[in-house]
Amino acid sequence: MKKIITILLTLMMIGSLAACGGKEKTGAKSDVEMETLSWNDYKYFTVSIDVPKDKGYELIEGMSEKSPYEKYVDFTLVGERFIIAFENTNYVYQTSNAWKEAYGETDPNFDDFKKATTEKINGMSGAIEQVNGEDVVVKYTLSQDLSKYIGLTRNYNTDGIREDGINTQFSATIYVIDESVEDIDALLEEAEVKAIFDSIKIEKK
């Protein structure tokens, strides 16, 4: 009788462990369905970003009303807790006297932009980081009261993407709009937010 009880208890424990193991496996698997949103209004390239499906993310033209700053941008990814503003402009670092004195008259390009940033030419600030194996120039944005960083800009290498040979500065800036989030670094520690920001792709048409 004791042997039967022992066997039954052992079987119950194995079943319990198997059930726990099954729950852990299910929990580790992501059930979030993703979709790719694309912006096709640029002449030479398309910008895409991956977001969770049916969570209200959308791309809109210009700057969102949720933005903490009034600034012209080309388009914006709008979410409930953050936005990402995209902008394609001309490089200006090479027009400064400081750059010309150091390097003369040069055509703008991403490598020189990195150099101007790291050397703080004409007061530029930022750092070089790698995202998906590629260099990006990163700069933080302070809140209006200068109390915390609420934004982070990534400048991407789009050299050679235009058929006319002109290199331009392409950037994506993520802003915290959820007041419960401490700062931009805290937001980017969230796996879903980081995955969205890291998924940005710029592809030639």
Side-chain angles (χ1 to χ4, degrees):
M1 184 69 178
K2 287 183 179 179
K3 287 184 178 180
I4 294 172
I5 293 173
T6 302
I7 291 170
L8 287 173
L9 287 172
T10 302
L11 289 172
M12 288 174 64
M13 287 178 66
I14 291 171
S16 177
L17 288 171
C20 289
K23 288 179 182 177
E24 287 179 4
K25 189 174 180 180
T26 303
K29 183 179 178 181
S30 175
D31 296 325
V32 178
E33 184 180 357
M34 303 294 285
E35 65 176 335
T36 300
L37 304 181
S38 298
W39 189 259
N40 296 300
D41 284 10
Y42 290 123
K43 182 177 180 180
Y44 298 103
F45 56 92
T46 297
V47 182
S48 64
I49 186 167
D50 298 335
V51 298
K53 191 174 183 180
D54 300 326
K55 281 200 173 183
Y57 290 102
E58 64 174 336
L59 293 177
I60 65 168
E61 184 174 0
M63 178 60 85
S64 168
E65 294 179 354
K66 296 181 179 181
S67 171
Y69 295 99
E70 289 185 9
K71 180 184 177 184
Y72 173 81
V73 298
D74 297 315
F75 67 100
T76 304
L77 174 75
V78 181
E80 291 185 1
R81 303 174 61 238
F82 65 91
I83 61 172
I84 302 177
F86 297 82
E87 186 178 10
N88 187 49
T89 60
N90 293 323
Y91 282 116
V92 295
Y93 71 89
Q94 78 284 358
T95 64
S96 70
N97 291 330
W99 177 266
K100 291 177 181 177
E101 288 174 3
Y103 299 102
E105 297 280 351
T106 62
D107 292 328
N109 61 77
F110 186 72
D111 282 340
D112 281 352
F113 178 63
K114 289 194 297 181
K115 186 186 297 184
T117 300
T118 55
E119 295 180 7
K120 303 190 185 305
I121 296 289
N122 203 37
M124 290 181 65
S125 62
I128 312 301
E129 295 183 1
Q130 280 219 331
V131 177
N132 300 323
E134 301 290 336
D135 283 349
V136 294
V137 176
V138 174
K139 181 180 180 179
Y140 282 90
T141 300
L142 280 166
S143 59
Q144 291 183 338
D145 63 5
L146 308 180
S147 63
K148 60 182 180 179
Y149 290 113
I150 60 166
L152 185 140
T153 299
R154 288 177 177 172
N155 292 276
Y156 299 83
N157 183 0
T158 57
D159 285 4
I161 209 165
R162 290 175 54 138
E163 294 178 1
D164 58 8
I166 297 174
N167 296 324
T168 55
Q169 181 178 338
F170 182 82
S171 65
T173 303
I174 184 168
Y175 293 105
V176 178
I177 57 175
D178 182 348
E179 294 183 358
S180 68
V181 178
E182 184 178 352
D183 58 23
I184 191 64
D185 284 335
L187 181 72
L188 288 170
E189 286 177 359
E190 298 180 22
E192 182 174 295
V193 178
K194 185 179 185 303
I196 293 171
F197 200 30
D198 288 352
S199 74
I200 294 169
K201 292 181 182 177
I202 306 104
E203 297 178 306
K204 186 174 182 178
K205 285 185 176 179

